[in-house]
Amino acid sequence: MLCLFIIIRYFDDFAKKLIENGLEQLVIFGAGYDTRAYRIEELKEKVKVFEVDHPGTQIFKMEKIKEIFGSIPEHVVFVPVDFEKETFSEKLFSKGYNRSLKTLFIMEGLIMYITPKSVAETLSFIAENSGKGSAMIFDYFPESVVVGTNKLKIAQDIRNFAIQQGEPLQFGIKDGELEEFLSTFGFSNIQNVTSEDYKKAYFHGKNENRNVCELLYFAHATIE
């Protein structure tokens, strides 16, 4: 649960920095019950938000949003897609996505659960269909966790829990190869954020030595 709060805080802070620098669109892949579009005030004022997710999940979420707000906020667009069976690009464009605008793509708790092919297609789309200064951010596990070769107990627990939930891990990145991997798609300013990095950013004083998931990494990069 603590790692979940860290992800939300880090991704929120990253988004807010980009909003300050002229962000025009936000695309949330695998949006689930993400609430950024409704609680970050700056998004409501300046940014069009596309929530891309499975139709079944979106139907339930839309009902809840209507219960809370009375209607879907004007700056939010729902894009129903099954990542494993459909191509999201045509649906995104049909909903008004503009490839020339400065855009942030958020993939929180997503890429580790989709196939390498789907990951590659998503990264290629981002690199080829977003305006100058656009960026993306995602969280991921090392490949060793995904394939089961990491001998740490927490690694085995993460992998086994995913299998038990019926959503086995499918994609990871080898240690030390993030920059090489993302650069092949055309990304630059690639940053790998480790548990030590986000502990330094958010845990101080009496919280300085709190345990976090050492195997969960964040990555962000830009399109020049």
Side-chain angles (χ1 to χ4, degrees):
M1 185 62 72
L2 180 59
C3 279
L4 176 60
F5 291 142
I6 295 171
I7 296 171
I8 294 171
R9 173 68 184 277
Y10 191 95
F11 284 33
D12 279 3
D13 288 348
F14 189 81
K16 289 175 182 178
K17 288 178 183 178
L18 286 179
I19 294 169
E20 291 174 359
N21 291 315
L23 185 69
E24 297 169 288
Q25 291 180 142
L26 170 62
V27 177
I28 306 175
F29 285 124
Y33 304 117
D34 188 299
T35 61
R36 289 184 176 89
Y38 316 98
R39 59 181 171 75
I40 298 180
E41 291 297 324
E42 296 89 343
L43 288 176
K44 301 175 187 178
E45 300 168 1
K46 305 175 182 178
V47 181
K48 192 169 188 178
V49 181
F50 296 89
E51 296 199 8
V52 184
D53 204 1
H54 193 279
T57 303
Q58 288 199 335
I59 289 172
F60 180 79
K61 183 175 183 177
M62 291 171 71
E63 291 175 352
K64 291 300 180 182
I65 294 300
K66 290 176 182 177
E67 285 180 16
I68 296 169
F69 297 105
S71 62
I72 304 298
E74 292 184 0
H75 70 293
V76 180
V77 178
F78 284 88
V79 185
V81 175
D82 184 336
F83 274 89
E84 298 302 324
K85 297 179 181 178
E86 300 176 285
T87 301
F88 64 81
S89 56
E90 290 184 5
K91 288 195 172 184
L92 194 55
F93 282 123
S94 71
K95 292 289 187 174
Y97 174 77
N98 188 333
R99 63 182 295 179
S100 67
L101 299 182
K102 186 174 182 178
T103 306
L104 169 62
F105 298 83
I106 291 179
M107 294 173 281
E108 180 185 329
L110 174 67
I111 73 165
M112 60 278 283
Y113 296 110
I114 61 178
T115 65
K117 181 176 181 289
S118 294
V119 172
E121 290 174 349
T122 303
L123 295 178
S124 293
F125 175 85
I126 293 171
E128 297 167 7
N129 295 280
S130 53
K132 184 177 180 180
S134 294
M136 68 164 180
I137 184 168
F138 60 85
D139 55 329
Y140 73 97
F141 292 121
E143 186 181 83
S144 61
V145 176
V146 176
V147 300
T149 57
N150 192 304
K151 301 304 180 183
L152 291 176
K153 183 180 184 301
I154 187 173
Q156 297 297 322
D157 289 345
I158 290 169
R159 186 171 185 271
N160 291 336
F161 180 77
I163 293 172
Q164 291 168 7
Q165 296 300 306
E167 293 185 305
L169 303 177
Q170 299 194 69
F171 176 81
I173 301 173
K174 290 182 179 179
D175 287 331
E177 295 190 8
L178 175 72
E179 186 167 357
E180 179 182 355
F181 172 69
L182 292 182
S183 64
T184 61
F185 293 94
F187 292 100
S188 57
N189 299 319
I190 299 164
Q191 298 292 322
N192 190 50
V193 183
T194 69
S195 59
E196 288 302 313
D197 294 325
Y198 49 77
K199 279 180 68 174
K200 290 178 183 177
Y202 298 117
F203 294 98
H204 308 111
K206 65 180 181 180
N207 292 315
E208 186 174 355
N209 295 317
R210 293 192 69 172
N211 291 325
V212 297
C213 182
E214 63 186 278
L215 296 175
L216 182 65
Y217 295 81
F218 307 154
H220 50 85
T222 59
I223 298 101
E224 298 299 330

